[in-house]
Amino acid sequence: MKKLTAILGVFLILSSFLFPLSGCSIDAGKAPARIVVPAEAADLMLGIKPNRVDVTIDISENSLAAIDFTVKLFQKSVSSKENSMISPLSVLCALAMVANGADGNTRTQMESTLGFSVEDLNLYIYAYMQSIASESDVIFNIANSIWFKDDALAVEREFLQLNADYYGAAINKAPFDDSTLKAINDWVNDNTNGMIKEILDGIPDDVVMYLVNAIVFDAEWQEKYNEDQVRLGTFTSITGAKRDVQMMYSTEGIYLYDGHATGFMKYYEGGRYAFAALLPNKGMSLDNYIKTLSGQGLYNTISNARYTTVYTSLPKFESEYDIEMCDILRSMGMRDAFGPGANFSKIDPSTGLCISSVKHKTFISVDERGTQAAAVTIIDMRTTSSGGPPAVYLDRPFVYMIIDCETNLPIFIGTVVDL
């Protein structure tokens, strides 16, 4: 069933991970994320171990930039024809790892699109991952890994070290055959608690590197729904069709209003995380409402929540979504990263690399007990010289030469501009 309004609320759960929480002094001795390393990959970590990172940062100082990225990415990723959900945090983590290998205009464009300098983004995400490490009432894990092809790249150690230090990234050198395909999919399955079984159905011959982020979230409601609070209700789809659904009714204590929509928040155990939903005002379509969102506006809506009694209903639902984000990120300003003009010399200065795919996949289930959600972002990188045979069609003005092949000297050189 199409439950776009409910999915919008789910987007706010995941974006709320990025909202300012509190200043924190980082315990640099903690591992920043759970890492599951598959046995099939060779030379695991390549002798690279995370260094101690001493960081004291108030994550609230930079959260607005992350929220702004969240809203912009959501606006460009949402579908009006099916349930949609993304994890901007997952995408941000994966792109941040790639950005550590970017230079020149490619790096500048990535920083502009992501809203951070690479250095600040490393600090922000590291601090954020550290801030969730001690949560006991909620399963919330962030894991990262880098996979590169045997003998295809001379990967710079500094690039790998940065991603090990700040992202806890598992470094895997692998043959990029069927065993690597299985290893990556097993890693995804393990790090999403089985909610996302696989992210790849094959490895193209010209792919030389994968950078992967996985996020898993599993939490029970602080106040669970009783049996008598769940009963048959009606949900009206975006096409106007009426759907019979299991609706969960409750009285909550936090009311949201932004001028274009009303909503509520419902806490998970521990109180750090909450489900948030916003229902567009009557007469305003969901598409038009999404266009009104901004990072600052969303931040203000949550910050200015009103503590009062609000009667609510929430449909039980389960949804999967996947999307390719290359064109979206191009439209957001990351133009050079996806073509021959890409500069990822800090990954391997001797090999031209570009991003060829940013695949994002999510899963969510919401019921009486609570919420389970998972996301995976996988970025593949290829050599800019790779691909099929070149094609040259002389169907517009061109230059021609007659060459002395002993000396490579052009004996004749000319142009054809008209025939």
Side-chain angles (χ1 to χ4, degrees):
M1 289 186 288
K2 311 294 185 186
K3 300 181 175 63
L4 288 176
T5 302
I7 290 294
L8 176 59
V10 173
F11 152 72
L12 290 172
I13 306 171
L14 294 176
S15 66
S16 71
F17 295 166
L18 300 176
F19 276 88
L21 299 166
S22 63
C24 60
S25 179
I26 302 305
D27 178 358
K30 290 181 181 177
R34 179 173 69 100
I35 299 172
V36 176
V37 179
E40 291 84 349
D43 295 332
L44 301 181
M45 296 301 292
L46 299 171
I48 294 173
K49 304 298 181 185
N51 288 321
R52 179 182 177 85
V53 178
D54 294 313
V55 179
T56 300
I57 186 173
D58 183 346
I59 56 178
S60 66
E61 292 181 0
N62 287 308
S63 283
L64 187 55
I67 299 165
D68 194 53
F69 173 76
T70 291
V71 170
K72 290 175 180 176
L73 189 68
F74 173 68
Q75 287 172 324
K76 291 180 177 292
S77 303
V78 68
S79 169
S80 60
K81 297 181 179 179
E82 62 177 319
N83 293 346
S84 308
M85 184 183 78
I86 64 170
S87 169
L89 178 58
S90 176
V91 177
L92 196 65
C93 286
L95 289 173
M97 288 194 293
V98 177
N100 277 308
D103 206 358
N105 286 337
T106 302
R107 188 183 185 97
T108 299
Q109 290 175 7
M110 293 188 77
E111 289 177 331
S112 177
T113 299
L114 301 176
F116 295 84
S117 70
V118 173
E119 294 79 8
D120 286 347
L121 187 54
N122 287 337
L123 292 171
Y124 176 75
I125 294 179
Y126 178 85
Y128 184 75
M129 290 196 300
Q130 287 288 327
S131 78
I132 66 174
S134 61
E135 291 295 313
S136 59
D137 298 308
V138 173
I139 296 173
F140 179 26
N141 290 318
I142 302 172
N144 300 292
S145 62
I146 297 174
W147 310 73
F148 63 94
K149 191 173 183 178
D150 277 341
D151 304 322
L153 294 175
V155 181
E156 291 287 280
R157 187 177 184 88
E158 183 180 358
F159 167 77
L160 298 176
Q161 190 68 63
L162 281 170
N163 284 309
D165 291 348
Y166 287 96
Y167 299 89
I171 312 298
N172 305 282
K173 182 179 177 182
F176 276 42
D177 55 14
D178 287 344
S179 70
T180 308
L181 176 66
K182 182 179 184 303
I184 293 174
N185 283 330
D186 285 349
W187 186 92
V188 166
N189 181 67
D190 289 341
N191 283 282
T192 61
N193 289 356
M195 284 183 257
I196 297 177
K197 302 295 184 185
E198 62 180 36
I199 192 67
L200 296 175
D201 55 15
I203 298 179
D205 291 340
D206 53 351
V207 172
V208 295
M209 177 176 280
Y210 284 110
L211 300 99
V212 196
N213 169 270
I215 291 179
V216 63
F217 179 83
D218 189 344
E220 295 188 357
W221 302 117
Q222 196 172 71
E223 294 185 8
K224 299 176 185 62
Y225 293 93
N226 298 320
E227 186 177 340
D228 62 357
Q229 292 176 288
V230 183
R231 49 191 183 271
L232 193 65
T234 301
F235 182 85
T236 302
S237 76
I238 200 165
T239 64
K242 303 293 184 181
R243 314 292 190 192
D244 292 332
V245 300
Q246 289 293 307
M247 196 72 78
M248 302 183 292
Y249 296 87
S250 65
T251 301
E252 303 301 335
I254 301 179
Y255 178 73
L256 303 174
Y257 178 68
D258 68 0
H260 301 289
T262 56
F264 66 94
M265 292 174 63
K266 181 178 179 67
Y267 285 116
Y268 295 103
E269 288 285 6
R272 172 164 177 173
Y273 306 106
F275 180 94
L278 285 166
L279 180 69
N281 296 339
K282 288 184 178 180
M284 174 171 276
S285 70
L286 183 66
D287 285 345
N288 286 337
Y289 173 66
I290 291 171
K291 291 175 184 177
T292 71
L293 293 174
S294 68
Q296 184 69 63
L298 190 54
Y299 171 79
N300 291 342
T301 298
I302 303 297
S303 298
N304 297 325
R306 180 182 166 195
Y307 292 85
T308 188
T309 298
V310 52
Y311 299 104
T312 75
S313 70
L314 170 65
K316 292 172 61 174
F317 67 93
E318 185 174 296
S319 179
E320 296 180 346
Y321 188 61
D322 63 80
I323 187 171
E324 166 56 53
M325 289 190 167
C326 283
D327 288 342
I328 291 170
L329 293 166
R330 280 193 191 95
S331 72
M332 292 174 67
M334 279 177 51
R335 296 177 297 277
D336 289 359
F338 301 97
N343 182 347
F344 289 105
S345 57
K346 291 187 174 183
I347 296 178
D348 179 357
S350 64
T351 305
L353 293 173
C354 68
I355 298 172
S356 60
S357 175
V358 180
K359 187 175 182 181
H360 187 64
K361 192 170 185 177
T362 61
F363 168 87
I364 188 162
S365 174
V366 176
D367 60 19
E368 302 97 320
R369 181 198 68 86
T371 300
Q372 291 182 308
V376 173
T377 304
I378 185 166
I379 299 174
D380 76 43
M381 305 199 74
R382 311 185 188 199
T383 56
T384 55
S385 59
S386 63
V392 180
Y393 304 113
L394 297 178
D395 55 4
R396 58 185 185 278
F398 62 93
V399 173
Y400 68 92
M401 294 173 285
I402 297 175
I403 298 289
D404 176 351
C405 293
E406 289 284 327
T407 61
N408 293 328
L409 178 69
I411 304 301
F412 296 93
I413 181 169
T415 64
V416 173
V417 297
D418 196 9
L419 292 172

